[in-house]
Amino acid sequence: MTWDVVELFHQNQSYPIHIGQQWSAHPELLRKSITGKQVLIVTQSVLAATHLPVLQDILKAYQCDVYYLPEGEEHKNITQWQHILEVLLRQGHDRTTTLIALGGGVVGDITGFAAACYLRGVNYLQIPTTLIAQVDAAIGGKTAVNHALGKNMIGAFHQPRAVLIDVDFLKTLPQRDYQAGLAEVIKYGLIRDPVFFAWIEKNISALLAREDAAVLHAVKTSVRHKAEIVSLDEKEQGMRSLLNLGHTFGHALETANGYQHILHGEAVLIGMGLAAELSHTLGWLSTEDLERIKCLLQKITPKQSAYRFPMPDDWIELMHRDKKSRDGKLNFILLKSIGHAEKMTLTDLTPLTPILPTSPLVGEVDAEGGG
Ligand code: GLY
């Protein structure tokens, strides 16, 4: 099949986001984005077993080093970032090196941040293998690691040189990760595309069954939205902040759970439901739209979960710590209707407290998280 390309523009430059299937049959897509003779692939052992040999074969003309990141968001931290830099130093990588992130959002974020800092900035490529990374995390140059006190608190804007999205990677993705990624797909419909939202409602069964045509349409539409938003507002001075729908709640939930037991997309899924509730409570969102949103989110909600909700005061404290919070005020992206989101600063927290779920409403079920 032919590959589609979406161009992302930033600061008088641009980079391609290639979307298609069977990437290994198109090695030129990768090679043409590598300028020097050295590469460092950052990946995880589960992925390495299936995809690394193919990548190494494509890159056999290069000095090709590999760093294995342990599984889990809790490893997106300064210690692992430092290990990556140490490999680059020990293996003598120079300014022409290219880092390649082969994996999900955790791999992409930490690899991008290592690339942003090594020798004051080197090239990197994103090969996202999860749905959430393909439609969101790998695009737009947000790189970071977490701190115990907050999610993505240490990072930099550093755009990749190219993104290679092969939707075939999604065929072997665990159902739980796949559904978590669908939350970010739905987000584009909610914030700016009511027609896409209606399409997802109609095609949710095909999407859950991972039918090729439905998955390709969902990924391409999401990528186009993400690239357009970042091209218009790379550094999040305005419209890019709409992508944070559900994230003020979601990041608080992830931090409360120590970045374990809940996937980022699951936290965003819950956060988008809460943002819709808050929008309705404030009189922004109609009951009809709230019901449509709840109904669609319900269809991708895991049946079981092992995370815990914070107590009300902890929710508020965690949300205040988020980097989107300023001057002691809480910022939310809320919905006026399906397809229309706006930023709002909440000074009176009275409408917030009744909608916040607290433990032990959910949890304790299954240490694997279920779904
Ligand atoms: N994931 C949100 C953003 O890239 O801005």
Side-chain angles (χ1 to χ4, degrees), residues 93-142:
H93 285 248
D94 63 30
R95 280 214 164 112
T96 65
T97 193
T98 301
L99 275 59
I100 300 180
L102 174 69
V106 169
V107 172
D109 283 8
I110 198 167
T111 307
F113 187 42
C117 299
Y118 187 64
L119 305 178
R120 299 200 179 93
V122 295
N123 285 333
Y124 75 110
L125 308 178
Q126 292 272 18
I127 308 183
T129 56
T130 61
L131 182 56
I132 197 160
Q134 294 193 347
V135 298
D136 183 41
I139 303 160
K142 275 191 181 176

Side-chain angles (χ1 to χ4, degrees), residues 124-181:
Y124 75 110
L125 308 178
Q126 292 272 18
I127 308 183
T129 56
T130 61
L131 182 56
I132 197 160
Q134 294 193 347
V135 298
D136 183 41
I139 303 160
K142 275 191 181 176
T143 74
V145 292
N146 299 327
H147 188 278
L149 293 178
K151 167 111 177 154
N152 291 336
M153 280 299 185
I154 302 159
F157 285 99
H158 186 55
Q159 300 292 345
R161 198 175 165 80
V163 183
L164 196 75
I165 297 177
D166 185 341
V167 295
D168 285 347
F169 281 123
L170 306 179
K171 293 195 160 103
T172 50
L173 195 64
Q175 187 65 11
R176 182 181 173 200
D177 296 78
Y178 180 74
Q179 285 184 211

